[in-house]
């Protein structure tokens, strides 16, 4: 079993990741660290692990083999660097950083130390998306023409860290990362940003919504939309020369949700139903496998980082 320590008691860690780690047969939650002793003790009690006061103390524990970093994006670089320097494998929440150069530097440090570093983009580990790629490759919708991907979530509490620019907040890196990664994951070609916009609602210090137009080297267009003060929407659609594929609840399906893939063509509509799958468990299994094999970091993470930076740059130029 991989002995994992957790740096911080973030809400997402306590709500989703720690329960999944506790249930995973190949992962043992060894310790959870917080600067708040009471919070560390309460979280550790819930997940049957050791409370640690201070992140440095957890990194100094030689029995911890890997760390999960659910801290705000702006804190990822120093703590991922510290974890790698301490000889720990790292699973860090997305985005790994908000700067492609820093993302590359962290992967280089991990590679130089023979350690595994992964960004926790969970949805790509759900088998439904591999099934969609197979359908496209088999010609189910003819020659691929466009991708439309959308991820929007309801308004957050005003004190949420995702409204704080100094912590790396904003819709692009929090929710825009999903349709961007979907384009990278599904199109499998080099992409360039042809247009982008980021919107700032009155009173907000970060972007709260945005859209981007991407084009692949082969001429496929990707239309992406995202926002964090909207009705919930999580889907993508692939349109080809003879049909289209629709995937709803694409990015954050519950573990008990039985996913479907809808294929429309001139011959009619058919639905492929798949069994429920816990994509967080699948993501953890992928991380454990990477640690066991020492496999290199996937290029998709770097392509995603480059596109996010391009969208930010193009939106700033056009805004």
């Amino acid at each position: 079993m991989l002995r994992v320590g957790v740096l911080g008691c973030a809400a997402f860690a306590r709500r989703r990741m720690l329960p999944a780690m506790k249930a995973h047969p190949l992962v043992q939650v060894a310790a959870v660290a917080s600067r708040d002793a009471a919070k560390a003790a309460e979280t550790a009690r819930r997940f049957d692990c050791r409370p640690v006061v201070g992140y440095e103390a957890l990194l100094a524990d030689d029995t911890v083999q890997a760390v999960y970093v659910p801290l705000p994006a702006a804190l990822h670089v120093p703590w991922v660097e510290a974890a790698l320097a301490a000889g720990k494998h790292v699973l860090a929440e997305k985005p790994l950083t908000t700067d492609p150069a820093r993302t590359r530097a962290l992967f280089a440090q991990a590679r130089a130390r023979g350690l595994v570093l992964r960004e926790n983009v969970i949805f790509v580990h759900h088998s439904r998306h591999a099934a969609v790629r197979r359908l496209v490759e088999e010609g189910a919708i003819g020659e691929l023409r466009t991708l439309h991907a959308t991820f929007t979530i309801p308004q957050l509490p005003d004190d949420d860290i995702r409204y704080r620019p100094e912590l790396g907040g904003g819709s692009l890196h929090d929710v825009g990362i999903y349709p961007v990664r979907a384009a990278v994951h599904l199109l499998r070609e080099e992409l360039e940003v042809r247009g982008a916009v980021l919107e700032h609602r009155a009173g907000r210090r970060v972007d709260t919504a945005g859209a981007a137009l991407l084009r692949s080297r082969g001429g496929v267009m990707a239309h992406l939309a995202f926002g964090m003060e909207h009705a919930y929407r999580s889907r993508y659609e692939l349109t080809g020369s003879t049909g289209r594929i629709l995937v709803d609840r694409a990015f954050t399906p519950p573990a008990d949700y039985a996913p479907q893939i809808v294929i429309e063509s001139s011959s009619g509509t058919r639905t492929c139903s798949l069994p429920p799958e816990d994509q967080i468990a699948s993501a953890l299994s992928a991380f454990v496998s990477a640690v066991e094999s020492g496999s290199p970091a996937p290029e998709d993470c770097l392509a995603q980082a480059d596109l996010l930076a391009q969208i930010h740059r193009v939106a700033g130029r056009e805004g």
Side-chain angles (χ1 to χ4, degrees), residues 200-276:
H200 293 69
R201 281 197 61 208
R204 299 299 187 196
R205 296 187 296 142
V206 299
D207 57 280
T208 53
L213 175 65
L214 280 54
R215 183 184 186 276
S216 78
R217 178 171 290 182
V220 178
M221 305 300 292
H223 305 253
L224 315 179
F226 49 91
M228 57 186 193
E229 295 191 348
H230 302 60
Y232 179 81
R233 190 171 177 85
S234 172
R235 67 179 306 171
Y236 63 78
E237 173 186 319
L238 291 158
T239 302
S241 57
T242 62
R244 64 175 181 158
I245 294 172
L246 298 94
V247 175
D248 203 5
R249 302 188 75 174
F251 303 123
T252 57
D256 60 355
Y257 174 67
Q260 296 182 330
I261 302 169
V262 178
I263 306 104
E264 297 180 351
S265 68
S266 58
S267 59
T269 300
R270 62 189 176 99
T271 300
C272 295
S273 298
L274 304 174

Side-chain angles (χ1 to χ4, degrees), residues 29 65 67 151 162 168 181 195-196 234 236 249 299 301 319:
V29 183
Q65 301 165 286
V67 296
F151 188 52
R162 286 167 285 185
R181 185 56 167 268
S234 172
Y236 63 78
R249 302 188 75 174
E299 290 296 319
C301 181

Side-chain angles (χ1 to χ4, degrees), residues 5-80:
V6 181
L7 295 188
C9 301
F12 180 74
R14 288 183 281 113
R15 188 177 71 252
R16 301 296 301 275
M17 291 300 295
L18 276 162
M21 289 180 182
K22 184 178 178 182
H24 199 284
L26 298 178
V27 174
Q28 180 183 359
V29 183
V32 59
S34 174
R35 293 188 173 94
D36 183 326
K39 184 177 286 188
E42 191 276 331
T43 304
R45 179 190 59 77
R46 283 179 56 193
F47 298 103
D48 299 323
C49 64
R50 182 167 56 85
V52 176
V53 179
Y55 305 152
E56 298 90 346
L58 187 146
L59 296 181
D61 185 345
D62 291 337
T63 68
V64 172
Q65 301 165 286
V67 296
Y68 167 57
V69 183
L71 301 171
L75 301 181
H76 285 180
V77 171
W79 288 108
V80 170

